[in-house]
Amino acid sequence: MGSSITQKILEKHFVSGSLTPGESLDIRIDQTLTQDATGTMAYLQFEALGLDRVRNELAVSYIDHNTVQVGFENADDHRYLQSVAAKKGVVLSRPGNGICHQVHLERFGAPGKTLIGSDSHTPTGGGIGMIAIGAGGLDVALAMAGVPFTIIAPRVIRITLKNALRPFVTAKDVILKVLERFSTKGNVNCIFEYAGEGVKTLSVPERATICNMGAECGVTCSLFPSDEITRDFLRAQHREECWIPLEADADAVYDGEFEIDLAALEPLTACPHSPGNIRKVSEMAGMKIDQVLIGSCTNSSYQDLVKVGMILDGHHVAEGVSLGIAPGSREVFEMISEDGTLTKMIKAGARILESACGFCIGNHFSPSTGGVSLRTNNRNFEGRSGTKSGQVYLVSPETAAVSAVTGVFTSPLEQDFVKEIRNVNAEDFFTDDSMLIFPPADSGDVEIIRGPNIGEPPRNTPLASELSGQVGIKVGDKITTDHIMPAGARLKYRSNIPLYSTFVFEGVDKEFPARCSERRDRGVANFIVAGQSYGQGSSREHAALCPMYLGVKAVLALSIERIHQANLCNAGILPLTLQSEDDYEKISPDDSLVIRDVRTQVSSGKPITLENVTKGYSFTCTLDVTELQRDMLLKGGRLNQIKETLV
Ligand code: MIC
Ligand code: SF4
């Protein structure tokens, strides 16, 4: 029996456990990446491990999220990140160098390698044939310490691409089609592996777009083969030596299959407020729009922006529409400025934005009240844009640019002002690594600089013998980490857990932090009750650390997403799965719950029995965790646990 690409890479990085889907598997991690919004906490945790230097092959720290710098906090974080990188042997990508996933693909990614990053869109690296996985900051800190990363051995789904895309139909439409089929839930512990003749028609940036938004399906990562197209991309990046061929064996066996006829696809959009809410752009035609934003780690490559330039050339942004464009990296920025694309954009009335996450994380460009915003990024959760009533539609750069000109939602297939569009694959990128700071070999004299907003990484206490408390909040399905821990204007508090904790569930229930901390101070535990797919979206471990700080001891949900589940365990919060809708319905906010003999119950590996004291009944939840996680839950989190073993 042949192997899939996934199996080949996992076998090469196997440390212990089992490759059988569903079993726990420890793999060696070659590369790590962090970004500033999750990075400060990751490096504070790395410092807490007490090691002099990182031990993995390559560690890169990117500054790309918090670049707005209102107040001193972000700049202090940048200074801390730069100094800790120099001290610990980490490469630093300075603000202005670009978005972590775009820059990593350009300058560091390599086929056949493993990468984990403290950002959920790390799987972008799958476009170049690497197993690239999003994780919480502490897991990345541990990988930097050389500790193997534990995953659940994945089910591998083969997505076969047939034929080729028509002009104006794009890689974004391919992944939106995948989202239409697989939705944003139910794909935990899967890997999407792309295959078929259609693969050969897609460039590395297009493949990266597809892998990037696999994160919205909740898969562990997505993967393309490494072929001559990958080699051409690496050659153009002056890194051909990193190339190895990598493809699935003809007789590889998969756990599921799906086929897409690229030639039959048409422009698609994800409607408010979920990336899985897919419609055809043609069905939306004519809807008035207020704003268009092009950029983000999903669609900001040179190829994307050249096509945007072709569309805007000689045209102007419609009155009443604000168009913002953020190139994904300094490399892309420089190239579009040299080839005239930037001039076309400026002439068309575009507002040129910094090469950073910016609008995507609600850092600026919030739409007007109820405003319709077409964006090329990957998430349109309610309120993420910074305007709760904002209506964000996710589209391809082509749909975005065409609509910016017409002023209404327009399918690029149904307009008549741009006759021709073609892919431009750079044969020689302007590579310039002068915004990367490589660490000194001897960092003895380097001083780590901290600002007043930078605190200690929080720690939990070992699990008590009994958990007795109250339901702090009851929420519904698809609660994202943006609901739990808002970003945007609150991002600057990422390094200060006590302060950031005062914003937990800010847009859902403003009283939650005060209610929980008051109970915590009286020795009463807090519980969160949730529906399906709790903790969707980002990798931000703050969505576990801040509730932990507020005294949350367990989450009872119908299902919990992969990265968030791991972050809860790392923080020492029990991730409990409710057994039925009925069990979910019966619990009310403020109900008193008790888990007796909880240490023994957690150790047993059996379902956990809880008592609803207010309503007078008992029920069970499962605790679907690995042995390592069971142990960390008993010890009050991963930091407490690891100190015992790290040499
Ligand atoms: C996101 O897109 O939500 C983020 C901001 O990049 C997050 C990381 C974070 O919250 O800092 C992610 O995707 O993991
Ligand atoms: Fe940045 Fe947006 Fe990508 Fe997250 S999804 S890394 S905020 S560009």
Side-chain angles (χ1 to χ4, degrees):
M1 188 175 87
S3 299
S4 61
I5 310 173
T6 305
Q7 281 156 344
K8 291 183 186 186
I9 303 180
L10 290 180
E11 269 162 25
K12 263 208 140 141
H13 291 82
F14 178 87
V15 176
S16 58
S18 161
L19 287 157
T20 310
E23 307 266 310
S24 171
L25 169 66
D26 294 343
I27 52 170
R28 180 170 48 78
I29 296 299
D30 302 318
Q31 303 186 348
T32 54
L33 74 77
T34 55
Q35 43 87 343
D36 52 307
T38 53
T40 49
M41 197 46 64
Y43 293 104
L44 288 167
Q45 295 179 123
F46 183 78
E47 282 192 82
L49 300 177
L51 300 184
D52 289 343
R53 272 181 100 79
V54 295
R55 293 175 174 173
N56 64 321
E57 216 171 277
L58 172 78
V60 191
S61 168
Y62 292 91
I63 301 182
D64 57 353
H65 278 60
N66 282 319
T67 54
V68 174
Q69 294 173 228
V70 179
F72 65 93
E73 293 90 344
N74 295 161
D76 278 6
D77 280 352
H78 299 176
R79 200 171 50 171
Y80 165 71
L81 289 168
Q82 186 167 333
S83 60
V84 78
K87 184 83 184 171
K88 301 292 182 186
V90 176
V91 180
L92 184 101
S93 174
R94 294 168 62 183
N97 202 37
I99 303 173
C100 54
H101 309 304
Q102 175 70 24
V103 179
H104 206 85
L105 193 74
E106 291 168 353
R107 305 308 303 140
F108 298 108
K113 298 268 183 201
T114 52
L115 162 74
I116 70 166
S118 59
D119 192 282
S120 63
H121 291 102
T122 304
T124 310
I128 210 168
M130 64 195 312
I131 287 210
I133 306 177
L138 179 54
D139 282 322
V140 178
L142 290 167
M144 289 193 276
V147 176
F149 180 56
T150 307
I151 57 171
I152 300 297
R155 293 191 307 122
V156 185
I157 312 292
R158 177 182 150 122
I159 301 189
T160 308
L161 304 179
K162 260 178 48 188
N163 299 317
L165 291 167
R166 292 178 286 164
F168 293 111
V169 187
T170 70
K172 182 62 154 277
D173 303 307
V174 176
I175 187 62
L176 292 177
K177 188 76 193 167
V178 172
L179 270 151
E180 182 184 68
R181 158 67 185 81
F182 289 92
S183 87
T184 56
K185 53 182 194 185
N187 307 304
V188 175
N189 302 325
C190 287
I191 288 187
F192 288 157
E193 199 172 296
Y194 290 86
E197 284 307 300
V199 164
K200 298 202 170 58
T201 67
L202 297 173
S203 65
V204 166
E206 290 175 300
R207 296 173 183 188
T209 295
I210 294 171
C211 291
N212 174 282
M213 277 190 81
E216 275 48 71
C217 296
V219 293
T220 305
C221 65
S222 304
L223 203 47
F224 271 83
S226 170
D227 54 13
E228 285 304 317
I229 291 170
T230 322
R231 187 180 204 160
D232 290 346
F233 176 82
L234 284 167
R235 187 184 301 119
Q237 288 287 347
H238 311 134
R239 300 199 294 118
E240 194 180 352
E241 69 285 358
C242 298
W243 183 77
I244 55 160
L246 201 55
E247 63 174 356
D249 295 333
D251 55 346
V253 176
Y254 294 88
D255 302 296
E257 308 239 357
F258 179 55
E259 188 178 272
I260 299 179
D261 180 358
L262 297 179
L265 269 186
E266 57 179 288
L268 298 173
T269 178
C271 301
H273 297 286
S274 168
N277 198 1
I278 309 296
R279 302 264 303 264
K280 289 179 182 157
V281 172
S282 55
E283 290 170 24
M284 313 304 298
M287 177 197 272
K288 189 180 163 334
I289 61 172
D290 301 287
Q291 186 185 61
V292 175
L293 289 164
I294 298 174
S296 89
C297 59
T298 320
N299 277 119
S300 58
S301 65
Y302 176 65
Q303 194 180 80
D304 281 333
L305 297 196
V306 168
K307 286 194 281 182
V308 168
M310 288 175 186
I311 293 170
L312 295 180
D313 193 12
H315 302 285
H316 202 277
V317 176
E319 230 180 88
V321 175
S322 194
L323 167 66
I325 303 177
S329 68
R330 180 162 166 268
E331 183 178 294
V332 173
F333 220 144
E334 205 175 330
M335 288 178 67
I336 60 166
S337 75
E338 290 288 333
D339 77 0
T341 297
L342 188 58
T343 312
K344 291 176 193 163
M345 292 171 171
I346 295 169
K347 284 196 165 154
R351 298 165 66 182
I352 307 302
L353 309 175
E354 188 180 11
S355 207
C357 297
F359 68 81
C360 176
I361 196 178
N363 248 342
H364 60 187
F365 263 89
S366 301
S368 54
T369 307
V372 174
S373 181
L374 266 53
R375 299 178 171 214
T376 66
N377 59 300
N378 44 37
R379 290 188 172 141
N380 58 348
F381 304 142
E382 188 178 17
R384 179 175 162 102
S385 64
T387 304
K388 193 153 188 211
S389 60
Q391 303 294 308
V392 177
Y393 292 81
L394 306 178
V395 295
S396 69
E398 282 82 334
T399 300
V402 163
S403 303
V405 172
T406 59
V408 291
F409 225 128
T410 307
S411 165
L413 291 177
E414 286 164 12
Q415 50 74 38
D416 55 10
F417 64 93
V418 196
K419 299 280 177 248
E420 214 194 328
I421 197 145
R422 72 202 140 75
N423 274 345
V424 175
N425 285 310
E427 281 166 19
D428 189 17
F429 287 97
F430 289 180
T431 53
D432 169 3
D433 291 335
S434 62
M435 291 293 275
L436 294 172
I437 303 179
F438 290 86
D442 178 1
S443 54
D445 293 340
V446 177
E447 194 201 332
I448 300 178
I449 310 170
R450 290 166 224 279
N453 187 48
I454 301 179
E456 292 286 313
R459 274 173 196 260
N460 209 338
T461 46
L463 190 60
S465 52
E466 178 171 297
L467 282 186
S468 168
Q470 276 179 276
V471 175
I473 192 168
K474 181 175 177 182
V475 288
D477 290 345
K478 293 193 187 176
I479 289 296
T480 70
T481 52
D482 280 287
H483 289 107
I484 307 169
M485 235 24 281
R490 307 304 182 202
L491 256 185
K492 64 183 191 178
Y493 304 124
R494 283 283 175 97
S495 312
N496 185 337
I497 298 294
L499 187 52
Y500 199 27
S501 298
T502 60
F503 301 107
V504 178
F505 282 120
E506 189 186 17
V508 181
D509 174 0
K510 275 207 165 39
E511 306 307 320
F512 178 83
R515 185 184 318 128
C516 288
S517 39
E518 187 273 327
R519 287 177 186 165
R520 173 201 61 198
D521 294 345
R522 285 191 286 119
V524 175
N526 290 295
F527 298 100
I528 293 173
V529 175
Q532 297 283 0
S533 274
Y534 182 72
Q536 263 191 17
S538 89
S539 69
R540 64 190 71 149
E541 62 187 340
H542 298 78
L545 293 179
C546 291
M548 179 258 266
Y549 182 81
L550 296 176
V552 171
K553 297 291 179 192
V555 171
L556 287 61
L558 284 166
S559 66
I560 304 178
E561 288 300 301
R562 177 187 67 87
I563 306 179
H564 189 60
Q565 196 264 14
N567 286 337
L568 288 173
C569 291
N570 283 348
I573 298 176
L574 299 176
L576 300 175
T577 312
L578 290 160
Q579 296 301 281
S580 67
E581 288 280 348
D582 199 38
D583 284 349
Y584 168 79
E585 292 302 335
K586 270 157 81 180
I587 309 177
S588 307
D590 297 324
D591 276 2
S592 293
L593 307 180
V594 182
I595 316 182
R596 297 193 203 283
D597 244 342
V598 59
R599 292 189 66 87
T600 320
Q601 292 210 61
V602 166
S603 308
S604 74
K606 298 199 182 118
I608 309 282
T609 303
L610 296 92
E611 223 178 290
N612 186 329
V613 180
T614 308
K615 305 234 169 81
Y617 68 90
S618 295
F619 62 105
T620 56
C621 287
T622 52
L623 179 61
D624 301 316
V625 293
T626 63
E627 282 313 307
L628 187 79
Q629 288 175 326
R630 203 176 290 288
D631 182 60
M632 70 181 80
L633 288 169
L634 291 168
K635 293 190 168 123
R638 184 75 167 127
L639 260 189
N640 294 346
Q641 177 191 46
I642 193 72
K643 280 294 252 187
E644 294 174 6
T645 50
L646 204 65
V647 191

